[in-house]
Amino acid sequence: MIETPYLLFLGDAPDGLAAKVAQGIKDWRPDNAVGQYRMEGCKADLRLPDMTLAEAKAAGAKTLVIGVANRGGVISPAWKKVLVTALEEGFDLASGLHNLLSDEPDLAAVAEATGRALHDVRVPEVKYPIANGVKRSGKRVLAVGTDCSVGKMYTGLAMDREMNARGLKSSFRATGQTGILITGNGVPLDAVVADFMAGAVEWLTPDNDEDHWDHIEGQGSLFHVSFSGVTMALIHGGQPDALILAHEPTREHMRGLPGYALPSLEALRDTALPLASVANPACQVVAVSVNTAAMSEDEATAYLAEIETRMGLPATDPFRYGAAKLVDALVALS
Amino acid sequence: MIETPYLLFLGDAPDGLAAKVAQGIKDWRPDNAVGQYRMEGCKADLRLPDMTLAEAKAAGAKTLVIGVANRGGVISPAWKKVLVTALEEGFDLASGLHNLLSDEPDLAAVAEATGRALHDVRVPEVKYPIANGVKRSGKRVLAVGTDCSVGKMYTGLAMDREMNARGLKSSFRATGQTGILITGNGVPLDAVVADFMAGAVEWLTPDNDEDHWDHIEGQGSLFHVSFSGVTMALIHGGQPDALILAHEPTREHMRGLPGYALPSLEALRDTALPLASVANPACQVVAVSVNTAAMSEDEATAYLAEIETRMGLPATDPFRYGAAKLVDALVALS
């Protein structure tokens, strides 16, 4: 659990894209973002107040989050002075970089001396149980994709936001680095040891009110041979009541796997639903979430209409058109 | 890679069952077992020569394998004197216990001082890659089960032995503790970090002669919610050419999961084959391996005949009747 709110560290980001994690936090949890810290030459700007460490402290910030990725995912020497000072001034640090904060001897020493926490969200902080498969109360929805990186996290965050706006009980359950930094907690599922994957998902989505929805962040794809085991653990550990099919229609092959074609939405439905039924016989496929970023307005509208007819399911792009249709489908299920 | 042959340490095993790992080594790799070391009160007996450390050394043994599990999986103080002496006399040590050899300060210190290796086969010794899905040469077969612990390892070892007896090119590829100790190498898949599971299986089953068969040790079950992710990684990382369906007909519910019924063999076939086809479109389900240990001879014969008719596949119990039928099915495929 990372203490909020955050000061977002953008460092010397060469462009806005490098500050993607910080942008995600600002977009999805604006209350968590009191300001941004930019070094000389920083080309990213979240349009948050620029703050010194002292100003952010006065504004209530508890954790300095490294919201920027530089080439190689390393902690640049140029950042070190800021990070060390932040620890000394009472901030915790949080990072999703491959280069762990806790592997830096100077940061580890100062954190130890000052009693501050270093959160490397790529590293599990919890000893997860082995899954027991016992049915839990409350409702859960999981987005499963035809491929990796087709908008599963975005879909979950958008449904959670829409439910909150409607006054419904809802939680986003992060299973990846960006999601964990956005919400302040979660399970870094791709770093969990095999035997405990499904148990980690059970742990993440415990018993809840019957009318509460967990939006479980999806990972990988059942059709992506590198990461399908992680997806499988989400389907069985999450025991979802509802599946959302996630798709990016212009992808030419599975991400990182030339020669592997994407499955059809029908194949995804027919593969994922029987597997989900093992853990939750009541599970249903309720909607399709399409990433239409590479399509014109006309193309997107026509494609979504075609999918609705073909699949007999509501279909939308939650980034372009909001998540109302998806949430309607969940509410219809409850 | 554990150096062979072994001296099998049975310690103070309270009964034969406690020496199951040693029994597996003796049954499947008799050439790896030069002798047994029994302490006072040991109730297990593999009918191997009882040897002192010096005798085993003279007979060529390279590694002392802890072939016994005691309650709690711990390294008993009573064993320590033998283990320390073994290191001093030039043996490596190997163990599949939860209590790691390398976590014992005295063993770690003596191993360091003597330059001997401590092999804890529950801990990956290799930094595995992320799976790339590239098609590999050679043939691979994987047993997939209706449940955990239905005889998948046994099936693979039996097919490997039968192929060797016929002079065919064949390797057993261990993915669990017992399998690794039996063969001296493998991947402890349930201890591998999620992102690298499928890559570890690719690493374990590399390019080979076109007429060579890898018998990949199965783990878990697609229908076992605690471990299905591990099975999924085997199916996609292993890119099997052939699947064997493994089943234990008298099991009342999924192992450790009361309330979860076992799937039918048809459901297993219809779930596993499409998933395997993602990584290897040529994959086929070729046979059924049934653990009939709890059935009389008449029951077993009748059940196997029924399965052959129902499934249209050869079916046998390789423990009871040998693996010839299974190997015939593989050979027919090559």
Side-chain angles (χ1 to χ4, degrees):
Chain A
M1 177 70 95
I2 305 170
E3 281 204 76
T4 55
Y6 305 148
L7 174 62
L8 300 177
F9 178 77
L10 308 188
D12 45 3
D15 53 37
L17 197 63
K20 206 173 64 165
V21 169
Q23 187 71 52
I25 295 169
K26 191 217 163 189
D27 288 349
W28 292 107
R29 291 291 184 275
D31 293 351
N32 283 357
V34 301
Q36 62 186 8
Y37 186 107
R38 300 193 294 163
M39 291 168 56
E40 206 177 302
C42 180
K43 299 285 196 308
D45 182 3
L46 302 176
R47 302 181 185 278
L48 284 170
D50 281 298
M51 290 186 179
T52 64
L53 293 173
E55 287 165 349
K57 193 81 196 159
K62 300 274 195 291
T63 302
L64 181 79
V65 172
I66 299 184
V68 57
N70 50 12
R71 219 155 291 172
V74 299
I75 297 166
S76 132
W79 298 358
K80 275 286 182 67
K81 200 179 154 200
V82 182
L83 302 184
V84 167
T85 310
L87 289 168
E88 289 168 346
E89 298 199 2
F91 289 89
D92 292 340
L93 301 183
S95 160
L97 298 177
H98 277 287
N99 179 181
L100 304 184
L101 297 168
S102 57
D103 281 348
E104 296 295 303
D106 46 357
L107 296 180
V110 178
E112 171 79 22
T114 57
R116 305 317 314 165
L118 301 179
H119 296 285
D120 286 301
V121 300
R122 286 185 185 271
V123 182
E125 295 186 336
V126 172
K127 195 168 149 40
Y128 303 111
I130 286 180
N132 62 26
V134 173
K135 175 74 182 159
R136 306 190 293 288
S137 53
K139 299 280 187 190
R140 287 161 196 85
V141 55
L142 174 69
V144 290
T146 51
D147 193 2
C148 301
S149 309
V150 292
K152 297 186 299 295
M153 181 183 79
Y154 195 103
T155 299
L157 284 163
M159 292 190 296
D160 178 48
R161 171 178 284 172
E162 173 72 14
M163 281 204 162
N164 283 323
R166 296 190 192 180
L168 300 172
K169 295 178 191 168
S170 169
S171 304
F172 177 76
R173 303 298 191 180
T175 62
Q177 284 75 34
T178 306
I180 295 171
L181 287 173
I182 288 174
T183 58
N185 57 68
V187 167
L189 194 57
D190 59 12
V192 172
V193 163
D195 250 3
F196 304 97
M197 294 186 298
V201 181
E202 291 188 348
W203 175 91
L204 181 67
T205 60
D207 280 317
N208 216 317
D209 296 343
E210 278 306 343
D211 57 346
H212 175 278
W213 280 90
D214 271 338
H215 304 271
I216 307 173
E217 182 187 352
Q219 295 293 337
S221 164
L222 287 171
F223 292 83
H224 195 293
V225 296
S226 311
F227 308 118
S228 52
V230 183
T231 312
M232 190 73 257
L234 279 161
I235 289 174
H236 281 168
Q239 38 184 247
D241 301 275
L243 295 175
I244 307 267
L245 308 180
H247 186 51
E248 204 284 73
T250 69
R251 196 72 62 87
E252 288 179 359
H253 61 73
M254 298 294 286
R255 190 178 165 90
L257 301 176
Y260 280 82
L262 267 73
S264 65
L265 284 163
E266 287 87 346
L268 175 61
R269 174 195 65 200
D270 295 345
T271 303
L273 186 59
L275 289 169
S277 303
V278 171
N280 186 348
C283 184
Q284 295 184 35
V285 175
V286 299
V288 184
S289 177
V290 183
N291 177 347
T292 63
M295 297 171 131
S296 72
E297 184 71 25
D298 285 353
E299 285 170 338
T301 313
Y303 184 81
L304 290 170
E306 184 220 315
I307 293 296
E308 293 205 333
T309 307
R310 213 179 87 200
M311 302 293 293
L313 291 170
T316 192
D317 178 339
F319 183 83
R320 204 160 189 163
Y321 305 113
K325 268 196 187 182
L326 306 180
V327 168
D328 289 347
L330 295 181
V331 170
L333 203 69
S334 333
Chain B
M1 179 69 93
I2 306 170
E3 281 203 76
T4 55
Y6 305 148
L7 173 62
L8 300 177
F9 178 78
L10 308 187
D12 45 3
D15 53 37
L17 196 63
K20 205 172 65 167
V21 168
Q23 186 71 52
I25 295 168
K26 190 216 162 189
D27 287 349
W28 292 107
R29 291 292 183 275
D31 292 351
N32 283 356
V34 301
Q36 62 186 9
Y37 186 106
R38 300 194 294 163
M39 291 168 55
E40 204 177 304
C42 180
K43 299 285 197 306
D45 182 2
L46 302 177
R47 302 180 185 277
L48 284 170
D50 282 297
M51 290 187 178
T52 63
L53 293 173
E55 287 165 350
K57 193 81 196 159
K62 300 275 194 292
T63 302
L64 181 79
V65 172
I66 299 184
V68 56
N70 50 11
R71 218 156 291 172
V74 299
I75 297 166
S76 132
W79 298 357
K80 275 289 181 66
K81 200 178 154 201
V82 183
L83 302 184
V84 166
T85 309
L87 288 168
E88 288 167 347
E89 299 199 2
F91 290 90
D92 293 339
L93 301 184
S95 160
L97 298 177
H98 277 286
N99 179 180
L100 304 183
L101 298 168
S102 57
D103 281 349
E104 296 293 304
D106 46 357
L107 296 181
V110 178
E112 171 78 22
T114 57
R116 306 317 314 165
L118 301 179
H119 296 285
D120 286 301
V121 300
R122 286 185 184 271
V123 181
E125 293 186 336
V126 173
K127 196 170 150 38
Y128 303 111
I130 286 180
N132 63 25
V134 173
K135 176 73 182 159
R136 305 191 293 290
S137 53
K139 299 280 187 189
R140 287 161 197 86
V141 55
L142 174 69
V144 290
T146 51
D147 193 2
C148 301
S149 308
V150 293
K152 297 186 298 296
M153 180 182 81
Y154 195 103
T155 300
L157 285 162
M159 292 190 296
D160 177 48
R161 171 178 286 173
E162 173 72 14
M163 281 204 163
N164 283 323
R166 295 191 193 181
L168 300 172
K169 296 178 191 169
S170 169
S171 306
F172 178 76
R173 302 298 190 180
T175 62
Q177 284 75 35
T178 305
I180 294 171
L181 287 173
I182 288 174
T183 59
N185 57 67
V187 167
L189 193 57
D190 60 10
V192 172
V193 163
D195 251 4
F196 304 97
M197 294 185 299
V201 180
E202 289 189 349
W203 175 92
L204 181 67
T205 60
D207 279 318
N208 216 317
D209 296 343
E210 278 306 343
D211 58 345
H212 175 279
W213 280 90
D214 272 336
H215 304 270
I216 308 172
E217 182 187 353
Q219 295 293 337
S221 164
L222 288 171
F223 292 83
H224 195 293
V225 296
S226 311
F227 308 118
S228 52
V230 183
T231 313
M232 189 73 256
L234 280 160
I235 290 174
H236 281 169
Q239 39 184 246
D241 301 276
L243 295 175
I244 307 268
L245 308 180
H247 186 51
E248 203 284 72
T250 69
R251 196 71 61 88
E252 288 179 357
H253 61 73
M254 297 295 285
R255 190 177 165 89
L257 301 175
Y260 281 82
L262 268 73
S264 66
L265 284 163
E266 287 87 344
L268 174 61
R269 175 194 65 200
D270 296 344
T271 303
L273 186 59
L275 289 168
S277 303
V278 171
N280 186 348
C283 184
Q284 294 184 36
V285 175
V286 298
V288 184
S289 176
V290 183
N291 177 346
T292 63
M295 297 171 132
S296 72
E297 184 71 25
D298 284 352
E299 286 170 337
T301 313
Y303 184 82
L304 290 170
E306 184 221 315
I307 293 295
E308 292 205 334
T309 307
R310 214 179 86 200
M311 303 293 293
L313 292 170
T316 192
D317 178 338
F319 183 82
R320 205 162 189 162
Y321 305 112
K325 269 196 186 182
L326 306 179
V327 168
D328 289 346
L330 295 181
V331 170
L333 203 68
S334 333

